[in-house]
Amino acid sequence: MFDRIEIIRGDITQIKVDAIVNAANTSLLGGGGVDGAIHRVAGKELYEECKGLKGCPTGSARLTKGYLLPAPFVIHAVGPVWRGGTSNEKALLASAYQSVLNIAVEHKLASLSFPNISTGVYGFPKQEAAGIAVITVINHLDNHQWPQKVVFVCYDEANYLIYQEMLSGL
Ligand code: ADP
């Protein structure tokens, strides 16, 4: 099982997997953080495809092509904004991860890389977000062949240390 999960520190736009995951917002029209970085590298065709999707609710995800990215596909997942923990944030974050995994099953995507959804501008506590991400992914991999491999791409050092500790303790 654990040879199917990897943690790396880096920039998700440079990772060559079947699909990279974007931490998008409900408009799917780009923003700051990892979303801005993905759109900058993918080019304006990604923006055009996203426009046609007409948004995505919080807790869900949508598949597009990757255009100029090394990865052929992008899965745009919308995590929740942290509002103190009493607005269903945990279930919505789990649902965002699960929606991505369901798309990987549907399209038989062998490898996925996730950023740390909602832990930037959206303010979700990093430790708690990592726990939700890891549990959702492990439960899924336990029961499914697809994706064969999941990479957690940590951009900031705090998340990288949290994920390393969490996966070494399993
Ligand atoms: P959100 O609005 O979901 O919080 P952000 O993009 O602000 O989205 O942050 C989500 C996570 O993405 C943060 O942990 C941030 O450090 C990380 N991040 C920012 N740029 C990149 C990048 N190029 N590659 C991977 N992760 C990134």
Side-chain angles (χ1 to χ4, degrees):
M1 148 72 83
F2 297 111
D3 55 345
R4 292 174 68 192
I5 298 181
E6 197 182 329
I7 307 160
I8 63 167
R9 178 134 191 235
D11 176 358
I12 204 164
T13 65
Q14 303 308 311
I15 312 269
K16 196 169 185 307
V17 284
D18 289 338
I20 64 167
V21 177
N22 184 13
N25 57 50
T26 54
S27 77
L28 298 182
L29 297 180
V34 68
D35 197 2
I38 287 172
H39 276 271
R40 267 194 301 281
V41 176
K44 68 174 192 311
E45 280 183 290
L46 177 61
Y47 178 79
E48 293 303 325
E49 184 176 356
C50 284
K51 235 169 41 181
L53 295 174
K54 310 249 180 273
C56 175
T58 303
S60 291
R62 300 285 185 266
L63 180 72
T64 69
K65 288 189 266 187
Y67 299 98
L68 301 177
L69 288 159
F73 294 101
V74 180
I75 303 174
H76 306 264
V78 184
V81 177
W82 181 258
R83 299 185 199 280
T86 54
S87 302
N88 208 27
E89 293 95 327
K90 293 171 202 170
L92 287 167
L93 186 63
S95 169
Y97 277 92
Q98 190 61 57
S99 300
V100 171
L101 295 162
N102 294 346
I103 288 172
V105 171
E106 191 184 338
H107 294 272
K108 292 193 165 51
L109 299 171
S111 52
L112 285 185
S113 62
F114 282 100
N116 308 131
I117 300 171
S118 285
T119 69
V121 172
Y122 279 8
F124 205 113
K126 291 179 183 184
Q127 184 82 36
E128 223 171 320
I132 291 165
V134 167
I135 283 173
T136 306
V137 165
I138 286 178
N139 279 342
H140 179 90
L141 295 183
D142 256 340
N143 294 296
H144 295 86
Q145 186 185 351
W146 306 97
Q148 283 156 13
K149 176 140 194 187
V150 168
V151 185
F152 290 109
V153 181
C154 302
Y155 190 69
D156 56 276
E157 186 177 21
N159 267 315
Y160 182 64
L161 295 174
I162 288 168
Y163 273 80
Q164 276 204 317
E165 199 189 340
M166 197 164 284
L167 285 166
S168 71
L170 286 172

